Amino acid sequence: MRLGVLDIGSNTVHLLLVDAHPGAQPVAFASHKRPLSLVQNLEDDNTISEKGQQELIDFVHEAWEFAGRHEAEDLLAFCTSAIREAANGDAVIERIHLETGVTLQELTGREEAAMTFFAVRRWYGWGREKILSLDIGGGSFEMAMGNDSLPDLAESVPLGAQRLTRDWLAEDPPTAKSVKELRRYIHSTLKPVVHAFKELGRPTLVTGTSKTFRSLARIAGAAPSGAGPYVRRVLQRTDLGLWTQRISAMASGDRVHLPGVSEARALQVLAGALVAEAAMELFEVDELEICPWALREGLILRRLDQLVFDGPLAPPDHIRPIESERRRIEMQHPAWSAR
């Protein structure tokens, strides 16, 4: 079956189509995404602006048409911290449903952490025993740990790279004072959460997922994405500390020349590095491994598991327009439907 996952994140909006069936590894078929900073589209009262809402609605329409053209049979649509924590988040979700027909599932921070952990566990298997999964997003930072398919403990804190950049690092490059203050804030926010994890004992594997961790590992010398997902990539705490100091003295225009740093993320890579550095210090981790699977893959795998036990899914309400689009094309182009 062809399954679509529409991810409304804090940095990007992304539709991923995969070919998959229960028991098999999902294979990416096509992708459609656009940089869209919902955090940057927040008003002073913490509501998503009209401009941000309209851009989001336009993309959801695009994604819907893209899924229909490529015969998606099922679609998971979800949103994370940028909408979850906005003052008008519920209203935005309702407006998207009314104007596009797409129903966004709002994930809690702990659900994000748990589904990311689920994907990490599937990637590494049972042999890696107790896993600690760390994921830095644009709006929040997720942590999860356990020995099973789902974590024993999952937590989320508002330490996303884009959020911190907006709130703490106004200058480009930032002042030494602002960096110092942000370090202090990150540590004070993380310390009590990390203390709860330590009651579970030490992990046998620590992983970093998300674009932020991949970028930091690439800056520190890890293999590029073109080398494929099966190349082992690690991030050393000592390397991270050195690069964090260097990046803090660089303007965003200089950071784009670093390997693995895009123009869209150049401004926020420092905040991400500060969160990663603090997490590795507080968890007493010298090295973490970059996992290529994260939240999207976790949701895909969870849906496929559902098919194993429940059988074929009747298309939910928000899938039917895709089927209607396919039938319309077949009626207009009989030769196409015969392929």
Side-chain angles (χ1 to χ4, degrees), residues 240-315:
L240 176 60
L242 290 172
W243 276 106
T244 301
Q245 289 294 333
R246 294 172 184 171
I247 294 170
S248 67
M250 300 170 68
S252 60
D254 296 320
R255 296 174 193 167
V256 296
H257 301 296
L258 296 172
V261 178
S262 65
E263 184 176 353
R265 294 177 181 267
L267 196 62
Q268 68 187 56
V269 69
L270 172 59
L274 291 170
V275 173
E277 185 181 33
M280 294 183 76
E281 177 186 336
L282 291 170
F283 277 111
E284 300 176 2
V285 173
D286 293 326
E287 174 186 285
L288 60 77
E289 191 162 329
I290 305 302
C291 179
W293 279 2
L295 177 59
R296 277 189 295 271
E297 288 78 11
L299 292 170
I300 290 169
L301 294 165
R302 196 68 165 166
R303 173 57 67 94
L304 294 175
D305 284 355
Q306 184 182 3
L307 295 177
V308 171
F309 296 102
D310 298 342
L313 293 172

Side-chain angles (χ1 to χ4, degrees), residues 106-229:
E106 182 180 319
L107 298 179
T108 67
R110 287 177 174 173
E111 287 171 339
E112 277 191 65
M115 284 297 96
T116 300
F117 179 92
F118 184 71
V120 171
R121 171 61 73 190
R122 284 293 180 89
W123 181 264
Y124 288 105
W126 299 112
R128 302 308 289 267
E129 300 178 347
K130 186 178 295 182
I131 294 176
L132 169 63
S133 168
L134 307 176
D135 184 287
I136 303 172
S140 58
F141 173 42
E142 277 71 48
M143 299 154 278
M145 185 169 168
N147 291 282
D148 300 319
S149 290
L150 293 174
D152 297 319
L153 180 61
E155 294 291 349
S156 176
V157 290
L159 295 179
Q162 194 170 77
R163 182 185 302 277
L164 296 178
T165 301
R166 182 199 65 181
D167 294 344
W168 293 86
L169 303 176
E171 298 88 353
D172 183 19
T175 64
K177 180 181 179 182
S178 65
V179 173
K180 182 178 180 180
E181 290 174 346
L182 178 53
R183 282 184 188 275
R184 187 181 300 117
Y185 172 72
I186 292 170
H187 272 257
S188 64
T189 302
L190 274 182
K191 193 171 182 179
V193 181
V194 172
H195 179 74
F197 276 90
K198 288 189 175 181
E199 296 181 5
L200 301 178
R202 290 195 63 82
T204 53
L205 172 67
V206 181
T207 66
T209 67
S210 77
K211 178 64 175 176
T212 296
F213 271 116
R214 291 198 301 272
S215 295
L216 293 172
R218 181 74 183 99
I219 290 171
S225 58

